């Protein structure tokens, strides 16, 4: 039977519960255990698919088409296990399911209440589908004391009694702030957070304490005494240079040992940290560096591009170089010459996005990369803007545009109305709902023999994750290919374009999918590894 680890947060948000959960999952794997990680989000949205990246950061997409919290990206990158739509649930989805049951009459006339109906639904979600896993790590979003998180905390409290003894452990992640005027770390915020948690019936077994310096013995004893945890279970989580240092840092602090001890698993299997030693060695001992310009529209919030940032870092790991990121707001290029901003970079990446804002700036970035022979990587929207640029500059289609921005006399990019998912035809309309209606999840693609992208993959049959409503219009394919822009990848039926490239350019590739979602530190995505290799070669020319 699976054992359950519940990770809660206190004091302030954004302490890194997702990263802590992912790192602990990696450590348990290193000891030979199988793990599953799940996320409970308290907000009322059914999923983050309709939320602005400025509100929620990146929307991570799974193979089966779920739009999920960005923490699932951490889970995948650290454990290598692909998540699915059953690994993330929100209050909105829980209530949506309960109300649907009530409308069907499933509750037989009973009054539907938070307890037991909502908490039972949460427990069903947590317990479902975990056979075959040694440990299930469940992260509860938000902070203890948030009113919207109460049903989730009540549900995991109940599970502490429902599950057999030594099958449930609670980890509470908190902050120990350093007060310069006092010259000491303060434990009181953590004490109050634990008091709040205990008031609803949850006694944490382990405290994971974020701090910018080591916790002195006296503060550790104080936390142990007032929070009712063993002194050895007060684990310091210090700031580190790279997120890929976290598994080793937590292991050195004793987190995985203390977790297994709380379950009564002693002596614990010895961990094999070879994978993480190799990753951190590559991160901290690069043999050079490259600069990549990211021309986007959400550059004010780096979490909007979390998977992208990490995939570029993975490309750096595979090439033994440090990847420096130069963030550029796309709208700048709508009013200024991009040359002063891009002349020094070794590669240009235009990521996904929605809406007209910044589109012309991204087109300008694609043109600069094409004309100056700078490696260019266009992802989703970035591919579409590169195609529009080629249509305008090379094919003579001056009014080339996208219907995403309004009616266009030359709709080089247009709304998809139907496509195949397996053997089923999916249809969409412009007036339909926005949530969950894009082309989402993993779809197969066929790559052209002899193309650069097929060479990079080492295959002609691939599967990648998508998240888009608009598609390059295949009606323009012949005119664009006559100008040198090759449609090197398509859907298996040949109706939807998946990749484009310029054969006479050092590295110019656009993809309609999101390869960053499948990159891992110990298994970099081939496109990012190749892109950084091209940037490395470019750095010798600049």
């Amino acid at each position: 039977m699976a054992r359950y680890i519940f990770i809660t947060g206190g004091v302030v948000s954004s302490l890194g519960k997702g990263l802590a959960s992912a790192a602990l999952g990696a450590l348990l794997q290193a000891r030979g255990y199988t793990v599953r990680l799940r996320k409970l989000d308290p907000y009322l949205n059914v999923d983050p698919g309709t939320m602005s990246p400025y509100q929620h950061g990146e929307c991570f997409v799974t193979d089966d088409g779920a739009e999920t919290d960005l923490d699932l990206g951490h889970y995948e990158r650290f454990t290598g296990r692909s998540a699915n739509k059953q690994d993330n649930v929100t209050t909105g989805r829980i209530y949506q399911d309960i109300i649907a049951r009530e409308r069907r009459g499933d509750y037989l006339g009973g009054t539907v209440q938070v307890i037991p109906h909502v908490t039972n639904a949460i427990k069903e979600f947590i317990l479902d589908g975990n056979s075959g896993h040694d440990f299930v790590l469940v992260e509860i979003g938000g902070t203890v004391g948030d009113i919207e998180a109460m049903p989730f905390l009540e549900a995991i409290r109940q599970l502490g009694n429902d599950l057999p003894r030594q099958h449930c452990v609670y980890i509470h992640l908190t902050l120990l702030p350093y007060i310069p005027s006092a010259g000491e770390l303060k434990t009181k915020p953590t004490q109050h957070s634990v008091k709040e948690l205990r008031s609803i019936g949850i006694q944490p077994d382990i405290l994971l304490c974020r701090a910018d310096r080591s916790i002195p013995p006296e503060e550790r004893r104080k936390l142990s005494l007032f929070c009712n945890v063993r002194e050895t279970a007060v684990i310091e989580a210090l700031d580190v240079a790279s997120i890929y240092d976290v598994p080793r840092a937590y292991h050195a602090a004793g987190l995985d040992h203390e977790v297994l001890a709380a379950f009564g698993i002693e002596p614990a299997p010895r961990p094999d940290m070879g994978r993480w030693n190799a990753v951190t060695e590559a991160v901290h001992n690069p043999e050079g560096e490259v600069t990549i310009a990211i021309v986007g529209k959400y550059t004010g919030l780096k979490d909007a591009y979390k998977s992208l940032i990490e995939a570029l870092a993975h490309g750096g790991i595979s090439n033994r170089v440090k990847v420096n990121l130069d963030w550029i707001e796309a709208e700048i290029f709508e009013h200024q010459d991009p040359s002063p901003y891009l002349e020094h970079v070794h590669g240009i990446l235009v990521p996904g996005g929605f809406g007209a804002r910044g589109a012309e700036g991204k087109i300008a970035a694609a043109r600069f990369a094409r004309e100056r022979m700078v490696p260019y990587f266009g992802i989703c929207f970035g591919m579409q803007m590169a195609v529009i640029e080629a249509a305008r500059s090379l094919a003579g289609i001056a009014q080339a545009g996208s219907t995403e921005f309004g009616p266009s006399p030359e709709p080089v990019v247009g709304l998809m109305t139907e496509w195949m998912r397996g053997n089923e035809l999916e249809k969409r309309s412009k007036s339909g709902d926005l949530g969950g209606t894009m082309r989402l999840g993993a779809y197969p693609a066929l790559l052209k023999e002899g193309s650069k992208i097929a060479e990079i993959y080492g295959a002609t049959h691939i599967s990648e994750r998508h998240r888009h409503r608009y598609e390059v219009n295949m009606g323009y394919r012949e005119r664009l290919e006559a100008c040198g822009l090759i449609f090197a990848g398509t859907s298996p039926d040949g109706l939807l374009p998946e990749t484009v490239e310029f054969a006479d350019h050092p590295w110019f590739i656009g993809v309609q999918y999101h390869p960053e979602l499948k990159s891992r530190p110990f298994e970099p995505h081939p496109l990012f590894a190749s892109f950084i290799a091209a940037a490395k070669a470019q750095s010798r020319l600049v």
Side-chain angles (χ1 to χ4, degrees), residues 286-291 320-324 346 535-536 539:
E287 297 171 357
E289 58 183 67
V290 297
T291 299
R320 297 302 296 251
V321 296
K322 178 184 177 183
V323 179
N324 301 309
H346 309 125
K536 186 177 179 180
S539 69

Side-chain angles (χ1 to χ4, degrees), residues 54 58 72 77 89 97 102 115 134 144 155 191 221 244 255 277 298 333 366 385 393 398 421 429 494 509 518:
Y54 285 122
E58 171 190 72
L72 272 71
R77 286 187 286 272
V89 74
D97 292 346
E102 186 272 332
I115 301 174
D134 297 317
V144 170
Q191 293 179 43
R221 283 192 292 270
Y244 301 116
L255 176 62
N277 292 338
Y298 309 117
F333 295 162
M385 297 304 101
S393 301
R421 184 171 187 88
S429 67
I509 291 175
K518 295 179 70 172

Side-chain angles (χ1 to χ4, degrees), residues 1-24:
M1 182 180 180
R3 294 177 170 90
Y4 291 82
I5 302 169
F6 297 106
I7 300 98
T8 58
V11 184
V12 295
S13 60
S14 301
L15 286 180
K17 292 193 302 298
L19 187 57
S21 302
L24 177 56

Side-chain angles (χ1 to χ4, degrees), residues 156-201:
I156 67 171
R157 182 200 67 78
Q158 293 178 19
L159 281 172
N161 292 325
D162 297 344
L163 293 167
R165 290 184 183 276
Q166 293 194 318
H167 275 69
C168 175
V169 161
Y170 299 101
I171 298 176
H172 193 50
L173 178 64
T174 72
L175 175 69
L176 297 186
Y178 178 76
I179 307 300
S181 59
E184 61 183 4
L185 291 169
K186 288 297 185 180
T187 66
K188 193 63 70 177
T190 293
Q191 293 179 43
H192 281 297
S193 183
V194 171
K195 182 180 179 181
E196 182 81 23
L197 195 59
R198 293 174 69 187
S199 72
I200 58 177

Side-chain angles (χ1 to χ4, degrees), residues 482-504:
C483 300
L485 184 64
I486 307 302
F487 285 61
T490 65
S491 56
D493 58 13
L495 298 178
L496 301 176
E498 292 282 8
T499 78
V500 297
E501 62 185 60
F502 280 109
D504 60 351

Side-chain angles (χ1 to χ4, degrees), residues 322-351:
K322 178 184 177 183
V323 179
N324 301 309
L325 302 181
D326 193 353
W327 296 91
I328 302 173
E329 181 62 44
E331 286 181 283
I332 292 173
F333 295 162
E334 296 179 359
H335 312 288
Q336 299 181 38
D337 178 10
S339 298
Y341 296 88
L342 299 177
E343 283 177 336
H344 67 287
V345 305
H346 309 125
I348 298 169
L349 191 149
V350 176

Side-chain angles (χ1 to χ4, degrees), residues 1-115:
M1 182 180 180
R3 294 177 170 90
Y4 291 82
I5 302 169
F6 297 106
I7 300 98
T8 58
V11 184
V12 295
S13 60
S14 301
L15 286 180
K17 292 193 302 298
L19 187 57
S21 302
L24 177 56
L27 290 175
L28 292 171
Q29 282 184 328
R31 291 181 182 268
Y33 295 109
T34 58
V35 300
R36 181 179 190 180
L37 292 99
R38 318 184 85 170
K39 175 74 184 288
L40 311 180
D41 275 310
Y43 51 77
L44 284 172
N45 303 68
V46 173
D47 59 46
T50 59
M51 297 170 69
S52 166
Y54 285 122
Q55 288 278 318
H56 193 261
E58 171 190 72
C59 179
F60 189 82
V61 178
T62 61
D63 280 335
D64 58 356
E67 294 176 290
T68 71
D69 184 82
L70 63 81
D71 281 332
L72 272 71
H74 286 312
Y75 303 166
E76 288 202 9
R77 286 187 286 272
F78 277 71
T79 68
R81 180 186 180 277
S82 293
N84 59 50
K85 64 179 60 178
Q86 294 305 315
D87 289 327
N88 186 204
V89 74
T90 69
T91 297
R93 185 168 145 201
I94 292 289
Y95 274 84
Q96 184 184 56
D97 292 346
I98 289 172
I99 290 170
R101 292 183 195 179
E102 186 272 332
R103 293 290 83 188
R104 288 195 305 266
D106 292 0
Y107 296 109
L108 301 176
T111 301
V112 181
Q113 298 175 294
V114 173
I115 301 174

Side-chain angles (χ1 to χ4, degrees), residues 395-416:
I397 308 172
Q399 293 183 295
S402 171
T403 58
E404 183 175 358
F405 315 144
S408 173
E410 296 284 0
V412 172
V413 177
L415 178 70
M416 290 185 296

